[in-house]
Amino acid sequence: MAFQQFSLSRRALLRGLGLFSAGVAVNPLLGSKVFADDKSLKTIKLAWGQTAVCQSPISVALKQGFFKKYGLNVEPVNFSGPTDALLQAIATGQADGGIGMALRWLKPLEQGFDVDLTVGTHGGCMRLLAPQNSGIRDVKDLVGKSVAVSDQASPIRNFFAIQLAKQGIDPDKQVNWLQYPPDLFGEALRKGEVQALATDDPQGWLLKKQHDLVEVDNNLKGEYASLTCCVLGLRGSLVRDDPATARAITQAIVDAQQWTAEHPEETAKIFQPFVPGSVAVEDIAAMLKEHTHSHHSTGVQLRKEVAVYIDELKKINVIRPDTDAQRFAEHYVPELLPAESAHQHASNMAHMSNMSS
């Protein structure tokens, strides 16, 4: 993958930032119950992709009062632009934080964006899908095939390109990645223009169900079962100048992630109004149960996970070969929460689950 693929065009950036500025529009959570006029609360702006089911814990945090619990008055900004521009918005102070995919954000961070990663929010929202009769049952079967992606710098493309590279396959030369608007993925597959889809949820889960597709691979197998895929990024100056607020935001997100893991059906009801189309609450809950929202890594653990991705992105020529993965992780992942704060709850929940089974 060429280095240039990660550079933002001026038009894309302005479009994304424009959508960001206009994003505080209609929001079913923006009621007086959620945003009381309490001057004792610290006001922050949190950007989120409202239609991304993996960000549903933000709707939980707003609805269930997790932010207020830590003294925060959060102004959620619906960000509909490219997540590269979301990162730019955080770095330039147009937002205090937001959630995005690690495999999208690590390259811009290598280029110097002033954003810190404070918690890994969950794993398991990337899927490689193919028709039952395609003969594609492993990533190596993609050789000579065409695969639909949302863009050539897609984190989902990156992930499956890494899996190809690990098997000695050149993902740039031996696989044909074709860019389509996500809502045309199913049609491209039906017409035979592509033989597989590399996508994320909710689209991936819904396409699999609607078209009876085979899930060839995902990011919950092997070592990835214990790795995050999405991360909370906070403005670097906020972490340096106001660590207490940065800590409060991070802890509120951790709590909301854990609540989501323990209450997927209730989370689905809270989040359902944000999902385009008439997606059943039961389907949203099923998606959430396939994600690892109880995995919320911080500090040392998150540094280990970021370092893994840095080294893997080198395999597909996204990250410079001379970038030190450990130093990178230490620079961009601050120590905000005690390790047990983010991990103990999940361990206790797993232990209780084992006891009851």
Side-chain angles (χ1 to χ4, degrees):
M1 182 182 303
F3 176 89
Q4 296 93 306
Q5 290 172 335
F6 285 82
S7 298
L8 281 173
S9 70
R10 178 177 175 82
R11 180 179 298 175
L13 178 58
L14 291 176
R15 182 174 65 250
L17 294 180
L19 287 166
F20 176 87
S21 301
V24 204
V26 179
N27 187 323
L29 294 174
L30 289 177
S32 58
K33 181 178 178 182
V34 177
F35 298 106
D37 185 16
D38 188 341
K39 294 183 179 179
S40 68
L41 300 179
K42 174 86 173 186
T43 297
I44 64 165
K45 291 183 179 180
L46 191 65
W48 67 310
Q50 288 184 348
T51 61
V53 71
C54 57
Q55 295 198 29
S56 58
I58 293 181
S59 66
V60 165
L62 292 164
K63 185 76 171 180
Q64 300 299 108
F66 286 114
F67 291 122
K68 281 194 171 184
K69 174 183 175 182
Y70 294 102
L72 302 171
N73 175 44
V74 168
E75 295 180 357
V77 183
N78 180 19
F79 190 87
S80 304
T83 55
D84 313 64
L86 187 155
L87 192 69
Q88 175 82 6
I90 299 170
T92 56
Q94 295 191 48
D96 295 301
I99 292 176
M101 301 185 81
L103 290 174
R104 171 78 80 173
W105 280 5
L106 294 179
K107 182 61 187 182
L109 291 182
E110 184 192 40
Q111 295 172 317
F113 279 46
D114 187 19
V115 174
D116 284 340
L117 308 179
T118 65
V119 61
T121 56
H122 80 284
C125 59
M126 294 186 275
R127 304 177 192 269
L128 179 65
L129 306 171
Q132 296 280 350
N133 61 358
S134 67
I136 300 173
R137 293 296 181 269
D138 189 274
V139 289
K140 67 177 182 293
D141 297 329
L142 295 180
V143 172
K145 303 292 196 303
S146 295
V147 182
V149 292
S150 60
D151 65 88
Q152 295 297 333
S154 159
I156 298 93
R157 180 199 188 282
N158 284 347
F159 178 78
F160 294 115
I162 288 168
Q163 309 320 305
L164 288 162
K166 285 183 173 181
Q167 297 195 46
I169 298 167
D170 187 327
D172 293 328
K173 296 180 179 179
Q174 294 180 264
V175 177
N176 186 27
W177 307 92
L178 296 180
Q179 184 170 330
Y180 288 88
D183 59 352
L184 294 182
F185 274 27
E187 185 68 7
L189 197 64
R190 188 188 67 79
K191 290 182 175 180
E193 296 173 2
V194 298
Q195 290 75 54
L197 311 174
T199 184
D200 57 354
D201 290 340
Q203 181 194 41
W205 194 96
L206 294 171
L207 284 170
K208 178 184 175 183
K209 179 182 178 181
Q210 292 165 1
H211 300 281
D212 189 28
L213 303 177
V214 173
E215 188 159 335
V216 178
D217 200 8
N218 59 45
N219 63 322
L220 280 179
K221 295 181 180 179
E223 65 179 309
Y224 300 104
S226 58
L227 291 179
T228 189
C229 62
C230 293
V231 289
L232 172 68
L234 296 182
R235 178 167 47 86
S237 57
L238 174 69
V239 176
R240 291 189 298 273
D241 302 337
D242 191 357
T245 296
R247 187 176 302 112
I249 300 169
T250 301
Q251 188 62 64
I253 292 294
V254 167
D255 288 4
Q257 292 291 146
Q258 190 62 39
W259 196 93
T260 294
E262 295 173 353
H263 306 89
E265 287 83 6
E266 292 176 68
T267 297
K269 291 176 183 177
I270 293 171
F271 187 68
Q272 199 270 346
F274 298 100
V275 183
S278 301
V279 181
V281 168
E282 293 76 14
D283 285 343
I284 299 172
M287 291 181 218
L288 292 171
K289 290 176 183 178
E290 293 185 19
H291 300 170
T292 58
H293 288 281
S294 59
H295 179 84
H296 21 72
S297 49
T298 62
V300 173
Q301 180 59 35
L302 182 55
R303 288 188 199 115
K304 290 178 182 177
E305 296 175 23
V306 167
V308 167
Y309 283 134
I310 288 294
D311 282 334
E312 293 205 327
L313 286 169
K314 292 179 184 179
K315 300 179 190 298
I316 56 172
N317 303 314
V318 170
I319 295 293
R320 295 191 302 265
D322 61 346
T323 294
D324 185 301
Q326 191 56 43
R327 288 183 62 187
F328 180 102
E330 290 172 357
H331 179 81
Y332 283 107
V333 181
E335 190 72 55
L336 284 179
L337 302 179
E340 58 272 15
S341 174
H343 302 291
Q344 192 61 46
H345 195 180
S347 298
N348 288 344
M349 188 182 76
H351 178 64
M352 291 172 64
S353 175
N354 291 336
M355 289 179 64
S356 62
S357 60

